[in-house]
């Protein structure tokens, strides 16, 4: 049974009880705010409880706007990527932290009585539905993250008919370059239809809020018949994202970017089986966006020295962002480039050594997939060598040969999507 955390202040207890009863009638188990967890020494347990819930419902009121504890609860929900439903009791001051932190334009107004309770239950069902959000991330670079993302989920799309949306959140925007020609990239940028336009809330480069869900570029342009409604799309990257990796943006700009990014992800989730975020291999504001919206994190690993060090750094960063202890089931560790006969200068079997090291690790042993991606020429070609009128044609699944790699990609993608449920 799905669990909902209900955040409210004592002054709003009557409305909170009505909301809890409605959610329980619709199959939810409700954990309400309580004084037992709202204690300084219990803060880790509070964050853990919220982080492991399936839904966060916040009762927004004037009392809530004055509550530091409710603000902490909302922060925990945001940092852990929990779907949020807002139930609003009355008008809030324009300068309220609630308006600055949450998208209150979709709040359910409780003054509507029984109808409002039905809307909350419906919003809870909607928030729980939709595709999963997966972030490709390893703090260590050079693990083949971007090419693997493109090819894993092209396999899911082609072999298993999964609808997929990519978000290129790396300032190097290699995923965008992998799929799209320079001319098409320039045209998309000229229209401001890149992730940079999403993160900018104002100015000439900003995408209007109502258009956020419409800027994705189709990557499979040869769909016919019953497959025509199976998406394979990309929100293009942009080198100007580097502005968000430095301290040149104000806290207000970052707060607005956070809200707009969540809105984009919600729009893509609503029409796809999976949203794949390709993130930069470091710890910046962009990394925080990727982590806080992810249901699951895919960590590609090359069979080489220091692989476990990179994973340990990743676990530390995610734990710091989410503010709680993590479970290995929140990750999939995928060995990429095994059986590479071109390696030289290494002693021993790098594949076995890396596999053994991760299998013996206390945390990541439970995240290591049995499926592995073999070294293959179809996964090594430079994207610029393979630009095509139909972008999906650049992927391994559409190329001649490489059958073992194609089967491995299909099996690994299916395993990851099962694990992410």
């Amino acid at each position: 049974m799905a669990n909902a955390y209900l955040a409210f202040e004592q002054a709003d207890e009557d409305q909170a009880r009505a909301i809890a009863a409605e959610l329980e009638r619709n199959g939810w188990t409700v954990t309400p705010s309580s004084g037992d967890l709202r204690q300084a020494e219990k803060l880790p347990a509070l964050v853990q409880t919220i982080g492991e819930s399936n839904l966060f419902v916040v009762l927004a009121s004037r009392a809530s706007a004055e509550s530091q504890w409710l603000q902490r609860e909302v922060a925990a929900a945001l940092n852990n990527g929990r779907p949020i439903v807002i139930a609003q009791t009355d008008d809030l001051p324009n300068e309220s932290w609630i308006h600055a932190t949450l998208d209150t334009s979709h709040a359910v107004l409780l003054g509507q009585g029984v109808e409002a309770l039905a809307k909350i239950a419906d919003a809870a069902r909607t928030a729980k539905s939709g595709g999963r959000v997966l972030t490709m991330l390893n703090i260590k670079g050079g693990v083949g993250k971007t090419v693997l993302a493109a090819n894993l989920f092209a396999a899911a799309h082609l072999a298993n008919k999964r609808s997929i949306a990519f978000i290129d959140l790396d300032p190097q925007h290699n995923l965008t370059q992998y799929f799209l020609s320079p001319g098409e990239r320039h045209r998309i940028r000229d229209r401001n239809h890149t992730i940079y336009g999403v993160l900018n809330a104002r100015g000439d480069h900003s995408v209007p809020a109502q258009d956020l869900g419409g800027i994705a570029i189709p990557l499979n342009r040869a769909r016919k018949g019953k497959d025509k409604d199976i998406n394979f799309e990309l929100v293009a990257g942009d080198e100007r994202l580097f502005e968000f990796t430095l301290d040149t943006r104000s806290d207000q700009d970052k707060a607005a970017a956070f809200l707009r990014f969540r809105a984009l992800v919600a729009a893509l989730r609503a029409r796809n089986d999976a949203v794949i975020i390709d993130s930069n291999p470091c710890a910046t504001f962009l990394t925080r966006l990727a982590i806080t919206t992810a249901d699951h994190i895919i960590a590609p690993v090359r069979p080489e020295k220091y692989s476990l060090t990179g994973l340990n750094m990743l676990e530390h960063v995610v734990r710091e962002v989410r503010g709680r202890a993590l479970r290995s089931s929140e990750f999939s560790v995928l060995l990429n480039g095994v059986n590479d006969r071109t390696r030289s200068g290494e002693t021993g079997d790098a594949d076995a050594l890396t596999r053994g090291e991760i299998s013996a690790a206390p945390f990541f042993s439970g995240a290591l997939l049995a499926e592995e991606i073999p070294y293959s020429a179809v996964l090594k070609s430079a994207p610029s060598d393979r630009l095509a009128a139909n972008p999906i044609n650049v992927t391994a699944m559409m190329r001649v040969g490489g059958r073992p790699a194609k089967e491995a990609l299909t099996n690994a993608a299916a395993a990851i999507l099962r694990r992410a449920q």
Side-chain angles (χ1 to χ4, degrees):
M1 185 177 291
N3 179 266
Y5 187 93
L6 176 58
F8 64 96
E9 286 304 301
Q10 190 171 2
D12 305 312
E13 187 172 5
D14 289 344
Q15 291 105 321
R17 285 179 177 172
I19 292 170
E22 182 68 19
L23 290 172
E24 288 169 350
R25 276 195 294 272
N26 284 271
W28 292 87
T29 298
V30 179
T31 302
S33 295
S34 71
D36 290 341
L37 286 177
R38 283 182 167 184
Q39 302 177 45
E41 65 273 16
K42 296 287 187 66
L43 183 57
L46 175 63
V47 175
Q48 195 78 25
T49 301
I50 293 170
E52 293 180 349
S53 65
N54 303 104
L55 178 72
F56 183 86
V57 181
V58 57
L59 210 161
S61 67
R62 291 185 178 274
S64 300
E66 300 296 326
S67 171
Q68 291 185 347
W69 274 108
L70 196 134
Q71 194 166 357
R72 292 186 182 113
E73 290 170 333
V74 168
L78 291 171
N79 288 339
N80 283 275
R82 298 303 84 196
I84 296 177
V85 173
I86 305 168
Q88 190 169 331
T89 62
D90 43 31
D91 291 337
L92 300 172
N94 289 333
E95 67 276 10
S96 166
W97 66 264
I98 296 177
H99 284 311
T101 308
L102 299 172
D103 182 4
T104 54
S105 63
H106 299 294
V108 177
L109 300 179
L110 288 178
Q112 298 172 349
V114 175
E115 182 182 348
L117 293 177
K119 287 182 178 179
I120 291 171
D122 186 57
R125 279 191 296 272
T126 301
K128 185 184 173 187
S129 64
R132 306 300 283 170
V133 182
L134 295 84
T135 288
M136 300 285 296
L137 181 61
N138 193 327
I139 303 304
K140 182 182 183 300
V143 296
K145 171 179 60 66
T146 296
V147 173
L148 190 58
N151 285 281
L152 273 174
F153 295 100
H157 173 71
L158 292 166
N160 294 321
K161 308 301 181 186
R162 296 293 194 125
S163 53
I164 302 293
F166 294 102
I167 300 175
D168 191 347
L169 197 58
D170 189 335
Q172 296 184 64
H173 64 293
N174 288 335
L175 184 64
T176 302
Q177 295 179 69
Y178 185 88
F179 280 118
L180 303 180
S181 69
E184 184 164 9
R185 297 199 303 270
H186 292 153
R187 289 191 293 274
I188 293 168
R189 176 174 164 146
D190 288 344
R191 297 199 306 270
N192 290 326
H193 281 190
T194 72
I195 189 65
Y196 183 74
V198 172
L199 299 189
N200 280 283
R202 59 182 184 273
D204 294 339
H205 301 298
S206 178
V207 175
Q210 67 271 19
D211 296 337
L212 291 177
I215 67 168
I217 305 301
L219 297 176
N220 186 358
R221 300 166 187 175
R223 295 173 298 167
K224 297 179 180 179
K226 64 181 180 180
D227 291 343
K228 66 181 180 180
D229 295 324
I230 304 176
N231 292 326
F232 192 65
E233 57 187 358
L234 166 72
V235 175
D238 193 313
E239 69 274 10
R240 293 172 293 178
L241 281 183
F242 80 87
E243 295 173 15
F244 288 91
T245 69
L246 306 173
D247 289 330
T248 59
R249 289 304 186 106
S250 67
D251 289 343
Q252 181 182 5
D253 283 347
K254 290 180 179 178
F258 191 91
L259 282 176
R260 287 166 62 85
F261 187 75
R262 282 179 63 91
L264 170 68
V265 171
L268 296 177
R269 283 182 71 237
R271 64 177 186 247
N272 289 287
D273 296 314
V275 178
I276 313 302
I277 303 173
D278 188 33
S279 182
N280 53 330
C282 53
T284 69
F285 173 73
L286 299 177
T287 318
R288 177 178 286 274
L289 288 181
I291 292 171
T292 55
T293 49
D295 297 307
H296 195 75
I297 294 174
I298 307 166
V301 171
R302 292 279 192 195
E304 59 191 15
K305 196 174 183 181
Y306 306 123
S307 293
L308 186 58
T309 300
L311 289 177
N312 288 336
M313 290 169 60
L314 172 63
E315 190 269 339
H316 179 77
V317 169
V318 176
R319 178 162 34 87
E320 285 294 310
V321 169
R322 293 186 171 171
R324 61 175 174 83
L326 304 173
R327 304 181 305 275
S328 60
S329 59
E330 297 175 66
F331 296 80
S332 289
V333 177
L334 179 61
L335 277 180
N336 181 30
V338 300
N339 302 322
D340 183 358
R341 305 305 179 192
T342 68
R343 287 198 200 103
S344 61
E346 296 184 12
T347 58
D349 185 341
D351 295 348
L353 288 172
T354 303
R355 192 180 300 118
E357 188 177 38
I358 297 172
S359 296
F363 182 81
F364 280 108
S365 59
L368 181 62
L369 297 178
E371 294 78 8
E372 299 174 347
I373 306 301
Y375 174 87
S376 173
V378 297
L379 293 173
K380 293 294 288 184
S381 300
S384 59
D385 294 340
R386 298 180 284 107
L387 295 173
N390 186 13
I392 199 171
N393 288 345
V394 304
T395 64
M397 296 296 290
M398 300 297 290
R399 303 181 69 196
V400 175
R403 180 177 176 182
K406 293 176 182 178
E407 292 178 350
L409 289 165
T410 302
N411 293 335
I416 290 167
L417 290 172
R418 285 195 302 270
R419 189 174 172 85
Q421 292 303 313

